[in-house]
Amino acid sequence: MSEASAQTTVRLAPPLVSGAVPGTGHYEEFCRNPAPFLMRCHAECGEVSSFDLAGLQTTLLVGEEAHEAVYRAPDSQLSAAQAYQFMVPVFGQGIQYGAPPVIERQQLKIQAAGLRHDRMVLYAPIVAQEVRDWIADWPDEGEEDFYEKFTELTLKTSTHCLMGADFRANMSDEFRGLYHDLEMAVDPEGLADPDQHGVMAERRDIARARLGELIGERVAQRRAALARGETFHDMFQHYLDATYADGTPLSDHEIAGMVVWFMFAGHHTSGNTSSWMLVELARHPDLMAEVVAELDGVLGDSEEVSFQSLREMPLLEAFLEEVLRLHAPLVTLTRRVMTDFHYKDYLIPAGGNVMVSPYVAHRQPEAFADPLTFNPGRTFPDGPFAYLPFGGGRHKCVGNAFALLQIRTIFAYLLRKFTFELSEPPEYYRDIMPSLILRPSDPCRLRFRRRAR
């Protein structure tokens, strides 16, 4: 319920969670791992709770009605850009959260146009080839840290679809290292202070500048190839062809920022979710057998996984949806309160943050029966504000469709060739949060064995 539907003139302050430390409030507990902390907030206070992030007052809202109020609020009242200023040094000034709202909206449209259905059909065989190459030299059995393996794979697939085959073929360790330095500077502490990292922030800025140089070189190479009459259909070409509403093309700086933005949207979530997908398959061998049987039935003797065949695998799709419910990659979705925000009888004053948590939302029994049980056969709520693995509203993650395409393709090939077992007891694999994205325990080791076919 928003301000317009509230009737009372008496406004209540959101209840404050216990355990605040003088001077820093709940900052240390939040930064250790926001997921269990936010669960504690909801258990203690219910639908509305507040906590102190070293002086930044933050209000957690839980439930479909509360989520709708947040996502339907205008940017002028609840601003994503102001809440995520710590991403500006990563993407670059003038890109997404560092751009004026009218420019950001146009950039979102450019990103979305590059991920529409006709382009996804082009990306599917690229991802498929990367997966085939990835597993081609695996031994018949072994043990691996699959978080690291999936991170490497999804960086390759994202880069190939984004920058083209020649860039992917020559992708250097420098590129991987620079991107890693950007990732490491993005963590929960940034919500309170974007520049608190010191050395990590310095490495972030050096990495972003060097990536700008590398991508700028790529722009020059691509324009020379276009002048020779060559044609391209990757995301990079989409950026070179794109224009703003007034006909102005993207600058080299903006192209570099859009590339980094795409990588965070399409790679970050894919690697983490693929890791949890494999853990849950190995935790539930009976369910894994059902998914494998579906794959075998759809694909038969074919070694090819097409874009169309991926749409004919409801058990794989349902399994992935349930993984995203219990292990949503985005734990927090935050907005800065620009003008006083009223929810029911509560007043959330300007200057603080409001937060929605898919992690908490997906564990509510009102929306998901027996929520802590992994059940791909469950019925999901009909409304758009209960299941939020990629956020919601106008700022929903733009790379979600590409991330899902990658994950479905990876497992369509992987499960046709190998079976998997946990290397550790099931309880070992738990959510940890070294950055703003949830991942399984480090290391995330599993055993694999080639299928007898």
Side-chain angles (χ1 to χ4, degrees):
M1 182 182 306
S2 64
E3 178 179 9
S5 57
Q7 301 298 318
T8 180
T9 57
V10 177
R11 300 294 184 182
L12 304 175
L16 183 66
V17 176
S18 65
V21 175
T24 59
H26 304 89
Y27 182 76
E28 287 82 3
E29 184 180 359
F30 177 86
C31 290
R32 279 197 300 272
N33 191 331
F37 171 70
L38 295 176
M39 289 293 291
R40 181 172 82 80
C41 292
H42 178 259
E44 186 175 308
C45 299
E47 184 183 32
V48 180
S49 59
S50 67
F51 51 93
D52 176 10
L53 295 182
L56 179 63
Q57 201 66 25
T58 302
T59 301
L60 174 68
L61 297 172
V62 178
E64 290 185 75
E65 190 177 5
H67 301 159
E68 181 174 8
V70 172
Y71 286 130
R72 292 198 185 282
D75 288 344
S76 59
Q77 184 173 38
L78 298 181
S79 170
Q82 290 304 309
Y84 289 106
Q85 283 297 293
F86 65 93
M87 294 302 299
V88 173
V90 175
F91 296 157
Q93 287 290 342
I95 310 299
Q96 198 188 24
Y97 302 126
V102 65
I103 297 298
E104 182 195 7
R105 287 193 291 271
Q106 293 180 64
Q107 291 174 349
L108 278 167
K109 289 181 179 179
I110 291 170
Q111 293 280 31
L115 295 168
R116 62 179 184 253
H117 178 270
D118 58 333
R119 288 187 171 270
M120 297 291 281
V121 172
L122 297 175
Y123 301 149
I126 295 174
V127 176
Q129 184 59 55
E130 287 285 354
V131 179
R132 286 195 297 269
D133 292 345
W134 181 56
I135 64 177
D137 60 354
W138 283 21
D140 288 340
E141 60 182 274
E143 183 179 80
E144 292 283 354
D145 181 347
F146 274 92
Y147 176 80
E148 296 299 330
K149 289 187 74 69
F150 283 130
T151 298
E152 178 184 358
L153 173 63
T154 55
L155 183 61
K156 290 176 179 177
T157 56
S158 298
T159 303
H160 195 160
C161 294
L162 173 62
M163 303 293 286
D166 50 345
F167 185 92
R168 161 65 186 88
N170 296 291
M171 188 171 68
S172 65
D173 289 338
E174 181 188 17
F175 183 85
R176 297 185 186 92
L178 293 171
Y179 186 73
H180 178 264
D181 285 348
L182 287 186
E183 286 187 309
M184 292 305 294
V186 178
D187 68 8
E189 297 177 20
L191 287 171
D193 183 356
D195 295 312
Q196 51 75 43
H197 283 302
V199 172
M200 288 176 64
E202 183 179 351
R203 292 181 64 178
R204 173 202 65 200
D205 295 343
I206 292 171
R208 179 60 182 83
R210 179 57 181 153
L211 279 172
E213 293 174 358
L214 292 175
I215 297 169
E217 293 170 5
R218 180 65 178 157
V219 170
Q221 294 168 3
R222 176 61 62 87
R223 287 180 174 146
L226 293 170
R228 296 192 297 269
E230 298 181 40
T231 58
F232 303 89
H233 303 286
D234 50 37
M235 192 74 171
F236 194 64
Q237 188 60 45
H238 173 67
Y239 295 145
L240 269 71
D241 295 337
T243 62
Y244 290 112
D246 64 359
T248 303
L250 299 178
S251 67
D252 289 6
H253 169 75
E254 289 170 324
I255 290 172
M258 298 287 272
V259 166
V260 175
W261 179 1
F262 178 98
M263 292 294 290
F264 265 76
H267 157 62
H268 225 350
T269 55
S270 298
N272 288 274
T273 301
S274 293
S275 303
W276 269 121
M277 183 85 169
L278 192 61
V279 169
E280 294 295 1
L281 284 163
R283 269 178 173 166
H284 302 91
D286 53 336
L287 297 177
M288 179 165 58
E290 293 177 5
V291 173
V292 170
E294 177 183 70
L295 290 170
D296 291 346
V298 171
L299 299 175
D301 295 329
S302 174
E303 293 293 323
E304 299 294 324
V305 177
S306 67
F307 184 81
Q308 180 58 38
S309 66
L310 289 172
R311 299 162 68 113
E312 299 169 1
M313 301 173 185
L315 294 181
L316 178 65
E317 183 73 19
F319 199 99
L320 175 54
E321 287 183 348
E322 182 69 347
V323 168
L324 287 167
R325 184 188 69 83
L326 273 180
H327 308 291
L330 302 174
V331 177
T332 62
L333 300 157
T334 308
R335 304 288 185 265
R336 178 64 48 82
V337 184
M338 307 305 292
T339 62
D340 288 357
F341 181 68
H342 300 152
Y343 176 69
K344 294 187 176 179
D345 293 337
Y346 294 101
L347 168 64
I348 303 170
N353 279 352
V354 294
M355 186 176 288
V356 168
S357 172
Y359 187 93
V360 178
H362 294 172
R363 285 163 171 76
Q364 298 308 302
E366 298 82 6
F368 303 95
D370 195 10
L372 299 184
T373 297
F374 187 87
N375 176 18
R378 73 171 58 253
T379 300
F380 280 69
D382 292 330
F385 299 107
Y387 182 61
L388 307 166
F390 296 104
R394 64 182 64 86
H395 294 288
K396 185 176 181 179
C397 177
V398 72
N400 65 317
F402 181 73
L404 294 174
L405 171 70
Q406 290 193 90
I407 297 164
R408 291 198 302 266
T409 304
I410 289 168
F411 284 93
Y413 279 103
L414 203 55
L415 295 178
R416 291 270 281 168
K417 297 293 185 181
F418 297 93
T419 60
F420 298 88
E421 296 178 351
L422 301 177
S423 298
E424 304 289 344
E427 61 273 14
Y428 165 83
Y429 302 89
R430 59 184 180 83
D431 293 303
I432 63 172
M433 198 169 172
S435 68
L436 282 177
I437 305 293
L438 274 182
R439 57 152 295 177
S441 298
D442 184 13
C444 181
R445 300 188 68 83
L446 291 94
R447 292 187 293 272
F448 64 90
R449 185 185 306 273
R450 190 176 299 274
R451 290 178 60 191
R453 297 184 61 197

